[in-house]
């Protein structure tokens, strides 16, 4: 047996213990009081990779939350340099009462490890660390040059980290970026992902009369802000499920007939999705399959809405203020700021008179496409097939990893998306989990990739 694979086999228990240690740190980037936990986890990762033989291992200040950098650059100038990316921040664990076991006390049940950050993205990040450890331990060297770059701002829209990347092009220069921060379509088939959607996140605040009003004294006289907001939200889509914001489809690259044919081969998952979600119908843009709508067409969703009286009993009031948060998922060649401006203008236009609306940009990330004939993508696909002994499907993803577009633009390096999460991984939700077998098989796939990338 391959000695590096044997090393991984023999170190399963140790790797699992280290993974648990990492998961116990409460690295919630959304909460400022958790910055200490983020730094503790960053220091922990620095020490972990320095002890393995990585050099220049240090916490890098980005202006926001820190990133971990380390490198091993002794494979020779003729060998490729791969930047390995991951994020060690996690989403807030709330609501806590829906967790079967506490979010920061990793627990194994049914072959899965449960805890916040298991699938997104700590186990996936550690897969690469441990695969590289095996190569360093067994061969005393790596077959290619490696730079490690782990951020802690991803879950908040990636903060100051893209600026850090733009300002450290030499430090981070590479031939390709390898990351595991995505999911399979099911629990059986590995996937090679070649596209991610971008995002443009914003908030709309509505203000009507200068104070809350008795609805009997003023009802029928003033524009109710909540009704104005409802009007705006109802106008965001037309009756064909298209986004009604003018110009919004102008930059959208149509799905090519070739790609439509490929996606059609994946089948139609409408019935399966309806069953999984217990809904009697799906929604979205007419004329496109669910895969097409989710991966290759823009979408606009409202995430939260507030205003007026929501407590027990009744209250006859016209609230002075209300608001909502929303985001649009973007496809090539939509630009986050441009999309935001179009939404802002539209919302201001359709907002009924007597109520003022203020629309503010939160964060954005560009969409990503990787040509499917890219040699590193092909190499990763073959590595998955070797490890899992099955063909890896070529698919896109509807979610976003904002910094991937920065790697492409600022470093000229294409991100290779080799993820191991599954649809039942509950990411961002209670009972987040990761299949243990994917943790260990993932290391095998990563090991094949780092070896085979030497001859790409
Ligand atoms: N790892 C996810 C993205 C993801 C989720 C890829 C599921 C594939 C399958 C990432 O951490 C994430 O949550 N991204 C956010 C970005 C946002 C906070 C800017 C997203 O997509 O909402
Ligand atoms: Mn993630
Ligand atoms: Mn996430």
């Amino acid at each position: 047996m391959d000695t590096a694979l044997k090393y991984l086999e023999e170190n399963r228990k140790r790797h699992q213990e280290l993974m648990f240690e990492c998961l116990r740190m409460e690295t919630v980037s959304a909460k400022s009081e958790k910055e200490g936990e983020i730094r503790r986890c960053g220091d922990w990762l620095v020490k972990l990779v320095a002890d393995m033989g990585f050099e220049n291992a240090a916490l890098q200040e980005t202006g926001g939350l820190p990133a971990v950098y380390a490198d091993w650059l002794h494979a020779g100038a003729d060998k490729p340099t791969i930047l390995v990316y991951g994020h060690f921040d996690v989403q807030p664990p709330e609501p806590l009462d829906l967790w079967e076991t506490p979010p920061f006390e990793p627990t194994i049940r049914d072959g899965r490890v449960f805890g916040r950050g298991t699938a997104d993205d700590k186990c996936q990040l550690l897969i690469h660390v441990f695969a590289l450890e095996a190569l360093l331990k067994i061969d005393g060297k790596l077959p290619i040059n490696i730079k490690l770059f782990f951020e802690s701002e991803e879950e908040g829209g990636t903060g100051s980290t893209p600026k850090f990347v733009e300002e450290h092009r030499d430090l981070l220069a590479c031939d390709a970026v390898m990351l595991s921060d995505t999911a399979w379509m099911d629990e059986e088939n590995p996937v090679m992902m070649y596209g991610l959607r971008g995002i443009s996140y914003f908030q709309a605040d509505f203000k009507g009369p200068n104070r809350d009003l008795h609805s009997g004294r003023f009802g029928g006289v003033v524009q109710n802000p909540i009704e104005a907001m409802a009007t705006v939200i109802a106008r965001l889509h037309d009756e064909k499920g298209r986004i009604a914001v003018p110009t919004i489809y102008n930059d959208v690259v149509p799905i090519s007939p070739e790609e439509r044919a490929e996606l059609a081969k994946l089948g139609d998952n409408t019935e399966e999705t309806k069953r999984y979600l217990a809904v009697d119908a799906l929604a979205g843009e007419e004329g496109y399959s669910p895969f097409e709508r989710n991966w290759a067409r823009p979408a606009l969703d409202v995430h939260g809405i507030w205003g007026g009286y929501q407590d027990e009993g009744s209250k006859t009031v016209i609230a002075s203020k209300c608001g909502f948060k929303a985001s649009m998922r973007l496809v090539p060649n939509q630009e986050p700021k441009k999309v935001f401006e179009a939404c802002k203008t539209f919302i201001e236009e359709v907002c009924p008179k007597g109520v003022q609306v203020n629309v503010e940009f939160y964060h954005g990330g560009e969409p990503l496409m990787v040509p499917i004939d890219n040699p590193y993508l092909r190499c990763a696909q073959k590595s998955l097939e070797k490890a899992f002994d099955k063909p890896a499907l070529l698919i896109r993803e509807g979610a976003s990893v904002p910094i991937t577009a920065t790697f492409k633009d600022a470093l000229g390096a294409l991100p290779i998306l080799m993820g191991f999460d599954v649809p039942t991984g509950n990411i961002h939700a209670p009972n987040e989990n990761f299949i243990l077998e994917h943790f260990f098989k993932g290391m095998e796939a990563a090991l094949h990739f780092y070896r085979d990338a030497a001859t790409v």
Side-chain angles (χ1 to χ4, degrees):
M1 190 183 174
D2 185 320
T3 47
L5 288 182
K6 187 149 167 274
Y7 176 89
L8 288 178
E9 184 95 37
E10 288 166 358
N11 279 273
R12 280 187 168 210
K13 191 160 166 279
R14 200 184 116 254
H15 286 155
Q16 190 174 304
E17 277 161 11
L18 286 165
M19 178 247 275
F20 271 43
E21 247 181 70
C22 186
L23 290 168
R24 285 193 194 104
M25 291 181 261
E26 303 186 8
T27 56
V28 181
S29 52
K31 295 187 187 162
S32 49
E33 82 256 22
K34 296 294 182 193
E35 184 173 342
E37 286 290 275
I38 296 255
R39 291 186 177 274
R40 194 157 72 87
C41 188
D43 289 337
W44 183 89
L45 285 166
V46 165
K47 182 168 186 313
L48 181 71
V49 300
D51 288 349
M52 280 166 47
F54 275 93
E55 296 168 355
N56 302 307
L59 218 52
Q60 300 279 337
E61 291 306 330
T62 65
L65 294 170
V68 170
Y69 174 85
D71 59 30
W72 191 96
L73 303 172
H74 306 294
D78 58 326
K79 290 292 191 303
T81 300
I82 301 289
L83 183 86
V84 183
Y85 166 85
H87 65 89
F88 59 96
D89 63 321
V90 301
Q91 288 274 326
E94 288 77 16
L96 294 176
D97 54 317
L98 296 183
W99 284 82
E100 278 179 40
T101 47
F104 296 107
E105 289 172 28
T107 313
I108 291 175
R109 285 194 298 279
D110 311 323
R112 295 174 186 235
V113 53
F114 285 80
R116 174 55 88 231
T118 46
D120 192 10
D121 178 41
K122 286 173 173 173
C123 293
Q124 303 214 66
L125 181 160
L126 289 174
I127 279 173
H128 293 276
V129 171
F130 295 146
L132 292 164
E133 179 196 85
L135 289 168
L136 281 166
K137 282 274 152 39
I138 296 305
D139 303 333
K141 59 185 171 70
L142 295 177
I144 56 175
N145 302 302
I146 294 282
K147 295 179 177 179
L148 304 176
F149 185 65
F150 305 143
E151 75 159 304
S152 67
E153 296 188 298
E154 200 274 341
E155 297 295 4
T158 219
S160 317
T161 314
K163 193 159 151 276
F164 179 90
V165 172
E166 280 158 11
E167 287 169 358
H168 294 80
R169 286 169 212 250
D170 291 339
L171 180 75
L172 302 173
C174 59
D175 296 294
V177 179
M178 164 51 73
L179 64 142
S180 296
D181 192 22
T182 49
W184 296 6
M185 290 170 65
D186 53 37
E187 280 159 36
E188 277 76 50
N189 301 292
V191 305
M192 192 62 233
M193 211 161 261
Y194 63 94
L196 291 172
R197 287 196 295 187
I199 188 166
S200 182
Y201 202 111
F202 59 90
Q203 175 168 325
D205 283 285
F206 295 80
K207 193 173 174 306
N210 61 0
R211 65 198 77 184
D212 280 10
L213 303 173
H214 186 293
S215 70
R217 290 211 58 215
F218 289 94
V221 176
V222 295
Q223 173 63 55
N224 184 322
I226 295 177
E227 219 178 289
M229 172 168 74
T231 302
V232 167
I233 293 176
R235 290 205 45 189
L236 291 174
H237 291 89
D238 69 14
E239 68 287 352
K240 294 201 154 125
R242 282 170 64 91
I243 299 162
V245 179
T247 76
I248 217 70
Y249 289 96
N250 286 6
D251 295 330
V252 170
V253 176
I255 318 174
S256 71
E258 294 77 24
E259 189 176 8
R260 285 199 105 162
E262 282 306 315
L263 296 183
K265 286 187 200 158
L266 296 171
D268 187 320
N269 65 346
T270 302
E271 291 310 313
E272 194 187 324
T273 308
K274 276 162 61 177
R275 257 198 317 279
Y276 176 56
L277 303 177
V279 294
D280 57 11
L282 297 186
E285 196 182 357
E286 224 173 84
Y288 294 92
S289 74
F291 288 134
E292 291 172 338
R293 302 202 300 270
N294 187 225
W295 300 343
R297 299 294 296 170
L300 173 54
D301 276 285
V302 175
H303 305 301
I305 163 171
W306 59 92
Y309 187 70
Q310 294 166 31
D311 287 344
E312 205 181 342
S314 66
K315 182 183 183 190
T316 48
V317 67
I318 297 172
S320 160
K321 293 175 186 172
C322 61
F324 71 86
K325 289 179 195 282
S327 76
M328 194 180 295
R329 295 286 168 171
L330 315 181
V331 299
N333 292 325
Q334 292 184 292
E335 294 166 26
K337 279 273 169 64
K338 205 170 156 186
V339 159
F340 164 71
E341 289 300 338
C343 288
K344 181 179 162 77
T345 305
F346 180 67
I347 290 169
E348 286 165 355
E349 264 168 33
V350 299
C351 182
K353 284 203 177 51
V355 166
Q356 274 144 34
V357 61
N358 180 41
V359 194
E360 298 262 5
F361 183 70
Y362 259 66
H363 57 71
E366 281 170 30
L368 175 79
M369 281 292 262
V370 183
I372 55 172
D373 57 0
N374 176 278
Y376 294 106
L377 181 148
R378 288 286 172 204
C379 179
Q381 190 177 17
K382 289 202 192 94
S383 307
L384 282 168
E385 292 174 351
K386 277 192 200 172
F388 290 91
D389 206 20
K390 274 185 197 157
L393 305 170
L394 268 170
I395 65 166
R396 279 160 87 168
E397 164 64 49
S400 315
V401 183
I403 204 163
T404 54
T406 312
F407 291 138
K408 183 179 165 202
D409 297 342
L411 307 178
L414 284 171
I416 306 303
L417 308 160
M418 189 174 78
F420 303 99
D421 177 24
V422 291
T424 49
N426 296 334
I427 66 168
H428 294 198
N431 304 309
E432 179 180 347
N433 65 85
F434 194 66
I435 297 179
L436 266 180
E437 196 57 24
H438 284 199
F439 184 57
F440 299 117
K441 281 273 180 214
M443 290 179 210
E444 255 183 65
L447 194 124
H448 290 308
F449 175 80
Y450 295 120
R451 272 187 183 152
D452 297 349
T455 51
V456 149

